[in-house]
Every structure is written in C-alpha cells, then in structure tokens.
Amino acid sequence: MAFKITDACIMCGSCEYECPNEAISEGQDIYLIDPNKCTECVGFFDTQQCAEVCPEAACVSDPDHQETREQLLAKFAKLHPGKKPK
Ligand code: SF4
C-alpha cells in the first residue's frame, strides 16, 4: 500500500528529497504523498525512505491505498520505464 503523511508532520521537509519517486510535495499544513507515485520504495529500497528520515514518525502505511508487491512493482515499471527494480 502507498504511504501517507499524518498531521504529526512538522513540515521539516526531510522526506521530500529522499523519495526515489518524487511522490512527496509540500502541502498547506503538512507534506503530502501522491499515492499514484508511491511504491513504498519497492524497486529501490527495502525500507520506506520517508519513514526512515521522519523525526515525527509521520510517514505511515495508508490503509486506503492497499497494494500487493506485484502491484507496487507494476507502478515502479510504469514510473521508470526500462529501469530494473532492485
Ligand atoms: Fe516515496 Fe518511498 Fe515514502 Fe513512498 S514510501 S512516498 S516511494 S519515500
């Protein structure tokens, strides 16, 4: 499933540049994750990079966007044509 950012976000901006899919952007009150771009870092890393760097533990699984690993890999392939997943 895609990740989301909760209202615990303090807008430090640490996560934005860690996302390999450029799925994170600055919202009005918190940073936002585009579920169409988030692969849970599948294809790039074993752990979610936004969650790794967030000082407030505000990057969490989004139960409204549940996806299998296969679906996340398909999203990766669509976002990065020709690139091999790690
Ligand atoms: Fe980006 Fe990975 Fe966080 Fe998804 S889990 S928003 S791909 S850093």
Side-chain angles (χ1 to χ4, degrees):
M1 69 190 77
F3 264 48
K4 67 174 183 178
I5 296 174
T6 70
D7 59 10
C9 173
I10 56 170
M11 296 195 83
C12 70
S14 303
C15 58
E16 184 176 4
Y17 301 105
E18 298 300 326
C19 179
N21 294 316
E22 297 182 3
I24 301 175
S25 60
E26 191 176 342
Q28 191 148 6
D29 300 315
I30 59 172
Y31 273 72
L32 304 169
I33 295 177
D34 180 346
N36 296 314
K37 290 185 176 177
C38 175
T39 63
E40 278 189 57
C41 289
V42 164
F44 286 101
F45 303 103
D46 293 334
T47 57
Q48 293 79 24
Q49 301 302 291
C50 53
E52 293 277 330
V53 298
C54 181
E56 299 297 323
C59 302
V60 298
S61 291
D62 182 354
D64 291 336
H65 289 101
Q66 296 201 21
E67 293 153 293
T68 64
R69 181 174 172 82
E70 287 66 36
Q71 287 172 314
L72 293 168
L73 280 169
K75 198 190 294 185
F76 170 90
K78 202 170 160 187
L79 288 168
H80 308 283
K83 188 171 174 67
K84 278 198 162 186
K86 286 188 180 160

